Amino acid sequence: MSERETKIARMRELGAQLLAASKAYYQEDREIMSNLEYDKLYDELVGLEQETGMVLSGSPTVTVGYEAVDELPKERHETPMLSLDKTKDVGTLADFAGEHEVLLSWKLDGLTVVLTYENGALFKAVTRGNGEVGEVITNNARVFRNVPLKIPHKGTTVLRGEAVIRYSDFERINREIDDEAARYKNPRNLCSGSVRQLNNEITAQRCVYFYAFALVRADGVDFENSRERQFLWMKEQGFDVVEYKKVTGSQVPDAVRAFSEAIAQNDFPSDGLVSVYEDIAYGQSLGRTAKFPRDSYAFKWQDEQRETKLVEIEWSPSRTGLINPVAVFEPVELEGTTVSRASVHNVSILKALRLGIGDEITVYKANMIIPQIAENLTGSGNAPIPERCPVCGGPTRIEDTGGVESLYCTNPDCQAKKIKAFTLFVSRDAMNIDGLSEMTLEKLIGKGFIHEYADLFHLDRHRDEIVEMEGFGEKSYENLIGSAEKARRTTLARVIYSLGIPNIGLANAKLLCREYQDDLDRLRGATAEELSEIPGIGGVIGAAVVEYFRDAEHNRWLDDLLDELSLYREETDESAQTLAGKVFVITGSLMHFPNRNALKDLIESKGGKVTGSVTSKTSFLINNDVHSASSKNKKAKELGVEIISEQDFLDRYTQNEEEKIS
């Protein structure tokens, strides 16, 4: 590792340490390092940024504020972004290189983005779009996890790369979505939606990474006709560059083999490789066809396929009632592992494949990772769609949502629904009852000990049976009972979250309880229209809440549960609610707060609200650049909303009570 690379690595390390310390101090009321140590590390980071001339994404020395826009503007690319000619044949790829040196690199499976830097600062980010015109996503690119906000080179710099979401982050995001039907199908789709969000706070939460794969322009820099020098230069500027190997045609087969063997360990999605001539002038001299440039060639993985026989369709119910079809087939070896199952996702795909028990099918691993059915060679179409739930025996129905048919269990007492629902109910952010894993809950429900939420607080009625259960004993039983007793004292927000209302996480539950001052009757009686007007809730969530409380059984369960609980309100100093009724929008960088969330927390602690867009209901727009021509400033002026600086806010906030934000 060069000295410069060592400094960049240290900058990343310092940034992570300082951000962790800041989060602990400002958001969690705890200290993980002293002020002296923080200042020392901060000064070291500032010094390294000055030495290297770069500022990495997320650096504590800068604040990249979250900002919502009404739409993503379109912009024409400086040079067209053509597709690449493709092959699945290694020999063809080797012939393309011939005696010339080529750079062989990953073809990442995400969304292509073009970044432009002016005077060393990130100036613009645009998606590939149709190759001619893309969408401007500059605000979102600023919160990518690894995009430099400032680079040493002061001339105009334009480069292309792929925005991706790693498999580990994709799986984490899906785990946080309780409704299986709402989970994302693959990292590529999730990335595409994340990069093109109107509110970049959502983009930031999705953990998008950027990997540069081509330099379009770098004013004043001589790369000596070498594509590799361009890659190395981009790396020196602070960019993560796609992994590559420099090879000639005769070395291509071994290089492809090495890349393919690395896929199983990769945390990023890839659907092939890209080959580009190392000699820039030679590549450019070849020109282009009507569709493709001739200096590059794409290689798509030749999916290893195996024929096998479909043994059964397994139907797997979830707590939402959705019953997912899973194809079970005779085991085959694919990409070095044995596979015997593949998700079919929904009834529409099942019908499209015309699946039937005993059919000869071909299977493969999408991107060499995820087992899929490629083709049905028999097409008998005789796979039965169950009219009864495989778990509870209750009736099923097919629902059509946006042209996609899915199977649902209609029995509200379905055991599978209960297991998943109770798993959420006892989880840490909900009622926090330790000792109740999904497997344990399955046993307790199967034995008839649990029928509704309130029963969890009367497990003492079944003491003897529980103590004798496999994996239990006297100690485990006592711990479980103690945890349940401790869980009786809780907040209404935790209760609302624990009910499993679609799209209601703990944050939304808190928001609802704050809006209705912990008055459950008012919340139960709210209309969808009223709920949709609450900032951060909207129509979809509002309708879900109304639908939930419209069900008599849901209300009975909740009433029985409340009889077991002692609810308390989180302490709020009513005399300090000086911002009650005021709605704020925060934009631009801050100087007195580590981030916008810190200022937002202060406003909300005083009874105010913070939203993402300026509307007629906005009381104040906080922007340190009061006179800027930003879209939010323009909107505020149009609506007569007062624009105040961060210092204005603090001055009013810290003066006498009657003078505060009046």
Side-chain angles (χ1 to χ4, degrees):
M1 185 180 293
S2 68
E3 181 180 354
R4 184 176 182 80
E5 290 174 331
T6 301
K7 289 180 179 179
I8 295 173
R10 177 58 176 164
M11 288 164 63
R12 296 190 192 279
E13 180 183 1
L14 289 169
Q17 291 177 342
L18 291 168
L19 289 173
S22 180
K23 179 181 179 182
Y25 184 80
Y26 288 103
Q27 299 179 27
E28 302 169 1
D29 293 325
R30 61 190 182 93
E31 292 188 26
I32 61 176
M33 69 173 63
S34 67
N35 288 340
L36 183 64
E37 183 180 2
Y38 184 95
D39 291 342
K40 180 181 177 182
L41 296 179
Y42 187 92
D43 290 342
E44 182 184 352
L45 178 58
V46 170
L48 286 171
E49 288 179 345
Q50 291 174 345
E51 287 180 37
T52 60
M54 69 176 63
V55 177
L56 301 176
S57 175
S59 172
T61 64
V62 297
T63 300
V64 178
Y66 297 137
E67 185 171 345
V69 296
D70 297 326
E71 63 178 7
L72 296 174
K74 304 289 194 300
E75 182 169 303
R76 184 169 294 277
H77 293 296
E78 183 177 316
T79 56
M81 299 182 64
L82 302 177
S83 299
L84 300 183
D85 202 358
K86 304 176 181 66
T87 182
K88 289 190 174 184
D89 179 61
V90 176
T92 301
L93 190 68
D95 290 343
F96 168 79
E99 298 300 318
H100 298 279
E101 288 186 326
V102 295
L103 301 188
L104 196 61
S105 63
W106 293 113
K107 184 177 182 295
L108 300 181
D109 193 17
L111 192 71
T112 300
V113 175
V114 184
L115 301 182
T116 301
Y117 288 76
E118 297 287 359
N119 196 30
L122 178 60
F123 173 69
K124 183 172 57 181
V126 184
T127 65
R128 180 185 184 278
N130 64 6
E132 298 283 345
V133 177
E135 293 173 304
V136 179
I137 56 153
T138 310
N139 285 339
N140 296 340
R142 292 184 189 280
V143 296
F144 288 177
R145 287 305 175 97
N146 62 338
V147 164
L149 304 178
K150 182 180 177 183
I151 61 175
H153 183 244
K154 301 308 177 187
T156 298
T157 303
V158 182
L159 67 154
R160 297 171 181 168
E162 198 81 356
V164 299
I165 288 180
R166 298 176 177 181
Y167 284 121
S168 55
D169 290 316
F170 171 75
E171 291 164 1
R172 172 186 57 78
I173 291 168
N174 264 348
R175 282 197 301 269
E176 295 170 356
I177 301 174
D178 296 319
D179 185 353
E180 291 185 32
R183 290 177 180 169
Y184 300 99
K185 301 303 181 189
N186 56 63
R188 200 269 175 204
N189 288 355
L190 175 58
C191 182
S192 179
S194 301
V195 167
R196 300 168 61 251
Q197 287 290 324
L198 296 180
N199 185 342
N200 69 345
E201 185 170 7
I202 298 174
T203 307
Q205 295 167 354
R206 300 282 177 79
C207 300
V208 179
Y209 286 82
F210 176 87
Y211 294 92
F213 61 66
L215 183 67
V216 178
R217 176 181 171 191
D219 288 354
V221 182
D222 181 8
F223 296 105
E224 301 177 7
N225 197 38
S226 167
R227 190 74 66 180
E228 184 176 30
R229 286 185 181 274
Q230 290 184 337
F231 274 47
L232 295 173
W233 182 84
M234 288 190 290
K235 193 172 183 180
E236 289 176 356
Q237 299 299 303
F239 296 98
D240 285 331
V241 177
V242 292
E243 179 189 352
Y244 68 90
K245 297 179 184 293
K246 186 162 68 172
V247 295
T248 59
S250 62
Q251 298 168 318
V252 163
D254 287 341
V256 170
R257 189 177 304 110
F259 274 110
S260 66
E261 290 172 352
I263 287 178
Q265 287 75 46
N266 284 351
D267 195 23
F268 53 83
S270 165
D271 59 356
L273 302 172
V274 173
S275 178
V276 59
Y277 288 117
E278 155 69 357
D279 187 319
I280 298 174
Y282 173 74
Q284 291 177 342
S285 72
L286 299 176
R288 49 175 280 190
T289 68
K291 292 184 178 180
F292 311 118
R294 289 195 172 100
D295 68 342
S296 307
Y297 215 92
F299 172 79
K300 301 281 286 185
W301 300 119
Q302 182 72 52
D303 297 316
E304 184 180 5
Q305 296 190 11
R306 291 285 184 271
E307 288 189 19
T308 183
K309 182 181 291 185
L310 184 65
V311 176
E312 67 172 311
I313 298 293
E314 186 178 281
W315 296 86
S316 177
S318 71
R319 77 173 182 87
T320 63
L322 176 67
I323 307 177
N324 292 306
V326 177
V328 180
F329 43 83
E330 293 179 352
V332 291
E333 289 288 321
L334 279 177
E335 312 294 353
T337 62
T338 303
V339 295
S340 60
R341 299 163 63 86
S343 175
V344 185
H345 298 300
N346 53 56
V347 173
S348 290
I349 295 176
L350 180 85
K351 290 180 177 179
L353 287 169
R354 301 186 66 243
L355 292 177
I357 307 306
D359 282 359
E360 294 294 326
I361 60 175
T362 58
V363 294
Y364 71 105
K365 283 187 177 180
N367 289 349
M368 302 176 73
I369 298 291
I370 305 169
Q372 299 281 303
I373 296 176
E375 187 180 3
N376 185 354
L377 303 177
T378 306
S380 68
N382 66 19
I385 299 174
E387 296 179 357
R388 295 282 171 180
C389 173
V391 172
C392 71
T396 64
R397 71 167 177 264
I398 294 176
E399 295 184 5
D400 190 316
T401 305
V404 176
E405 291 184 322
S406 299
L407 187 68
Y408 286 86
C409 172
T410 62
N411 177 17
D413 295 319
C414 178
Q415 195 175 42
K417 291 183 182 181
K418 287 185 176 182
I419 292 169
K420 298 295 183 182
F422 278 104
T423 300
L424 170 67
F425 182 84
V426 303
S427 64
R428 179 176 298 178
D429 287 340
M431 298 305 292
N432 194 22
I433 304 178
D434 287 334
L436 287 174
S437 65
E438 186 169 324
M439 186 178 297
T440 300
L441 285 167
E442 187 173 357
K443 292 177 181 177
L444 296 175
I445 292 171
K447 288 179 176 292
F449 299 162
I450 301 174
H451 298 280
E452 58 178 288
Y453 297 137
D455 293 336
L456 286 163
F457 299 94
H458 294 288
L459 291 174
D460 54 324
R461 297 169 180 170
H462 311 284
R463 177 192 175 283
D464 293 343
E465 295 96 325
I466 293 175
V467 169
E468 294 300 321
M469 280 171 48
E470 183 180 353
F472 256 77
E474 191 69 42
K475 182 67 174 176
S476 297
Y477 167 79
E478 293 296 338
N479 289 340
L480 173 57
I481 296 301
S483 182
E485 286 301 310
K486 184 179 178 181
R488 288 180 183 271
R489 177 171 163 76
T490 189
T491 64
L492 181 61
R494 281 179 172 267
V495 173
I496 296 300
Y497 169 58
S498 73
L499 300 178
I501 303 173
N503 300 308
I504 295 291
L506 183 57
N508 281 336
K510 288 182 176 180
L511 197 158
L512 288 170
C513 291
R514 188 185 306 123
E515 177 71 20
Y516 290 99
Q517 289 83 49
D518 279 10
D519 187 330
L520 180 58
D521 290 335
R522 286 181 60 206
L523 176 57
R524 276 172 154 170
T527 66
E529 290 74 21
E530 292 169 350
L531 292 164
S532 68
E533 292 178 358
I534 301 172
I537 296 300
V540 174
I541 297 177
V545 173
V546 170
E547 182 68 21
Y548 184 88
F549 287 124
R550 187 179 289 142
D551 188 297
E553 188 74 357
H554 289 161
N555 284 291
R556 185 181 68 78
W557 276 34
L558 178 55
D559 289 336
D560 291 348
L561 172 63
L562 292 172
D563 288 341
E564 304 296 333
L565 304 179
S566 172
L567 299 182
Y568 68 92
R569 294 187 65 177
E570 293 178 316
E571 289 300 321
T572 301
D573 183 356
E574 295 298 332
S575 65
Q577 300 295 288
T578 54
L579 303 182
K582 304 297 181 185
V583 180
F584 295 81
V585 174
I586 308 168
T587 189
S589 59
L590 301 176
M591 295 180 291
H592 300 283
F593 294 85
N595 51 50
R596 291 189 195 177
N597 282 337
L599 176 52
K600 178 182 177 183
D601 290 344
L602 174 60
I603 292 172
E604 290 180 345
S605 72
K606 298 299 178 182
K609 294 181 182 179
V610 177
T611 63
S613 302
V614 177
T615 69
S616 58
K617 296 181 180 180
T618 304
S619 307
F620 296 93
L621 171 63
I622 300 177
N623 186 353
N624 281 328
D625 190 354
V626 175
H627 303 292
S628 80
S630 69
S631 59
K632 281 191 171 62
N633 276 30
K634 289 179 181 178
K635 189 71 172 178
K637 291 173 182 176
E638 289 173 7
L639 297 174
V641 173
E642 184 178 356
I643 306 172
I644 62 175
S645 69
E646 185 184 4
Q647 190 61 55
D648 293 334
F649 171 82
L650 291 172
D651 289 344
R652 299 189 197 190
Y653 171 71
T654 56
Q655 290 177 6
N656 294 331
E657 185 67 27
E658 64 271 19
E659 297 176 341
K660 293 179 185 176
I661 310 293
S662 56

